Amino acid sequence: MHTIPDDILARFDALFEEARAAGEPDPTAMVLATATPDGVPSARMVLLKAHDARGFVFYTHLDGRKGRELQANPRAALLFHWPRVREGVQVRIEGSVEQVTADEADAYFASRPRGSQIGAWASKQSETLDMRATFEARLAQFEREFAGRAVPRPPRWTGFRVVPHAVEFWYGAQYRLHERHLFERAADGRWSQRMLYP
């Protein structure tokens, strides 16, 4: 199992706390880029829900577009952009993707607000919706179904963990003379570090 070295995690955690202290609207917001098996890319904003030496975790529905793409082509890129930190900071992460365990997904789902839990059942993520009223009717249907009891995790709703093979810390500077530090994992699992021109 590949793990992220402590110094990379410590650098990420320090910048994440700087972003929180700087008043970034949501430091957990990150761009997730996926691609189909034949290389057609797509990107969207998701929220980081956990991270540790194993990787960076977000949650979604397996049958939505990103879920389908990640199952067919289990590679992804993440991008954090914190413009209020220093002169602007980006963290770029690229790697393979794996599903979290059922226990991890259950625990996170149980921590969500009830409205979000109901929404996970009501949404046919990424499918065509004829009108908003149809979705609202599905919300009401699941509110009735789970009235008076805990909402279980939908069977096709889970988390993905991005296991990095590359992490870049990008520090903004005047005149676009940025500072870039790239950490890369080789096939043997060893990590190396190098700087990049801006």
Side-chain angles (χ1 to χ4, degrees):
M1 177 181 161
H2 297 296
T3 58
I4 305 170
D6 291 344
D7 58 331
I8 297 176
L9 275 179
R11 189 183 290 225
F12 177 84
D13 287 341
L15 289 171
F16 188 87
E17 288 309 314
E18 280 190 54
R20 216 186 274 285
E24 291 289 355
D26 188 349
T28 70
M30 57 188 183
V31 175
L32 165 68
T34 60
T36 62
D38 55 348
V40 178
S42 63
R44 76 289 286 159
M45 300 298 295
V46 297
L47 301 179
L48 176 70
K49 292 302 180 181
H51 71 286
D52 56 24
R54 297 172 297 166
F56 296 80
V57 176
F58 62 93
Y59 288 84
T60 190
H61 201 287
L62 290 173
D63 297 328
R65 179 173 177 181
K66 59 184 172 294
R68 293 193 311 269
E69 289 182 357
L70 289 167
Q71 290 170 88
N73 181 11
R75 292 183 286 274
L78 302 173
L79 170 64
F80 294 88
H81 180 216
W82 298 315
R84 299 182 185 187
V85 176
R86 306 181 192 185
E87 296 291 319
V89 169
Q90 296 180 51
V91 182
R92 302 176 62 221
I93 297 164
E94 298 172 2
S96 59
V97 173
E98 61 188 27
Q99 288 186 37
V100 302
T101 65
D103 286 346
E104 285 177 279
D106 287 343
Y108 173 68
F109 189 80
S111 77
R112 300 181 92 205
R114 187 175 179 87
S116 297
Q117 294 174 337
I118 297 291
W121 281 92
S123 176
K124 299 179 179 182
Q125 194 174 82
S126 300
E127 290 188 21
T128 300
L129 175 63
D130 60 349
M131 64 181 89
R132 180 72 183 184
T134 302
F135 179 47
E136 289 169 355
R138 286 182 58 82
L139 286 167
Q141 169 197 334
F142 285 106
E143 283 280 13
R144 289 190 301 275
E145 183 172 333
F146 297 119
R149 63 188 178 103
V151 181
R153 176 172 63 90
R156 300 286 294 163
W157 190 98
T158 191
F160 286 97
R161 177 179 287 108
V162 178
V163 181
H165 63 73
V167 180
E168 180 187 335
F169 296 94
W170 181 104
Y171 302 90
Q174 247 188 334
Y175 309 117
R176 304 200 61 78
L177 306 178
H178 314 308
E179 187 173 323
R180 301 173 62 187
H181 296 263
L182 177 63
F183 295 81
E184 295 172 295
R185 175 169 50 81
D188 64 3
R190 295 183 187 174
W191 285 81
S192 62
Q193 177 183 1
R194 59 194 171 100
M195 291 186 72
L196 303 177
Y197 277 98

